[in-house]
Amino acid sequence: RWHAFGDMGYTPLGFVITAVCVLLAALKAVASGELLTGNIKLHPVDLLGHMAPLAMVQCLVLSVLSGEVSSIAQRWGTELSPLVNSFPLTVVFVSGVCSFSLNICSLMANKLTSPLTLCIAANVKQVLMIAISTIIFHIEITPLNGFGIVVVLLGSARYSYVCVLEKQQQKQSGAPGKSNPQSADAQENDGTGSRRILRDKESNIITDQDIEMQQPLVQGSRQ
């Protein structure tokens, strides 16, 4: 068995599974962000409706392979049936409602922000969960764990600061006091076009004096 500094235990299979989970989580955030803000622009409920059936099939397959379905079938008549005990079914129902709400909030946040912001917020959430669990369950934090928490918080704060600076620069670049070459060209083109239209209208105008001068000529030609 392998051991790593600061971890309770380490195996190559566990490391591979963890790396794959991190990769799939990042890929999910990027793909959902593209579907929500790209050319398709799906609503979070519509996207969740396409993702939920696939997730259900995956959970069913894994539950059958892990033996969870057979275990539920064996314990159904004595422990898990709603007629015997309503608590398990209530827990499943409440968990489903909480999961639905969490997914909708996550997809909405991904649509309004960016996948990178969502991943950083997830890391901050994990840090807060660790900090709260240490307070509730009285778990001792080693210096290495504390250093990791501080690094995550500093990185998140730095990213938020950079985002605020970028938004301020964008607002300043679009301020009315500063000139915009594209808008100036567009205004010049609009002014040129309007002057051209006025000249065309002036050239096509026939005054009343012109009409009175042309009437004798027309009558003389008829005679």
Side-chain angles (χ1 to χ4, degrees):
R1 182 172 178 174
W2 297 63
H3 294 279
F5 180 74
D7 295 334
M8 296 179 62
Y10 169 82
T11 58
L13 180 61
F15 174 77
V16 171
I17 293 175
T18 303
V20 171
C21 290
V22 172
L23 179 62
L24 292 177
L27 183 62
K28 172 182 172 293
V30 174
S32 60
E34 183 65 25
L35 293 174
L36 291 171
T37 60
N39 296 326
I40 302 177
K41 293 183 180 179
L42 291 176
H43 192 271
V45 178
D46 295 333
L47 181 58
L48 187 61
H50 288 84
M51 294 171 59
L54 299 176
M56 183 186 68
V57 172
Q58 180 183 0
C59 291
L60 288 176
V61 172
L62 293 177
S63 62
V64 171
L65 295 177
S66 62
E68 187 176 355
V69 174
S70 60
S71 177
I72 293 174
Q74 293 176 0
R75 299 169 55 191
W76 182 260
T78 58
E79 300 178 12
L80 303 179
S81 175
L83 300 176
V84 178
N85 187 8
S86 61
F87 181 73
L89 186 62
T90 303
V91 171
V92 172
F93 178 76
V94 174
S95 299
V97 173
C98 293
S99 299
F100 176 78
S101 303
L102 176 63
N103 283 295
I104 291 296
C105 293
S106 176
L107 294 176
M108 186 62 70
N110 194 358
K111 182 177 181 179
L112 297 177
T113 56
S114 65
L116 181 59
T117 303
L118 193 64
C119 292
I120 292 177
N123 293 330
V124 175
K125 178 196 70 175
Q126 293 178 358
V127 170
L128 293 178
M129 289 177 60
I130 294 172
I132 294 173
S133 64
T134 55
I135 297 173
I136 295 176
F137 299 105
H138 303 286
I139 300 174
E140 183 181 359
I141 299 179
T142 62
L144 182 61
N145 299 133
F147 178 74
I149 292 173
V150 171
V151 168
V152 172
L153 294 177
L154 290 178
S156 302
R158 177 64 180 173
Y159 174 73
S160 301
Y161 177 71
V162 171
C163 290
V164 171
L165 290 180
E166 290 180 353
K167 290 181 180 179
Q168 290 179 354
Q169 291 177 358
Q170 291 178 358
K171 289 181 180 179
Q172 291 177 359
S173 62
K178 293 189 176 183
S179 60
N180 190 355
Q182 295 181 357
S183 61
D185 293 340
Q187 292 177 359
E188 185 178 357
N189 293 330
D190 293 338
T192 304
S194 61
R195 288 194 296 270
R196 186 178 301 169
I197 293 172
L198 289 175
R199 286 197 301 268
D200 294 338
K201 287 184 178 179
E202 290 175 356
S203 61
N204 293 328
I205 291 176
I206 301 176
T207 61
D208 295 337
Q209 295 178 356
D210 295 337
I211 294 174
E212 292 178 356
M213 293 174 63
Q214 290 178 3
Q215 283 181 355
L217 297 175
V218 173
Q219 291 178 357
S221 62
R222 288 180 180 178
Q223 294 176 357

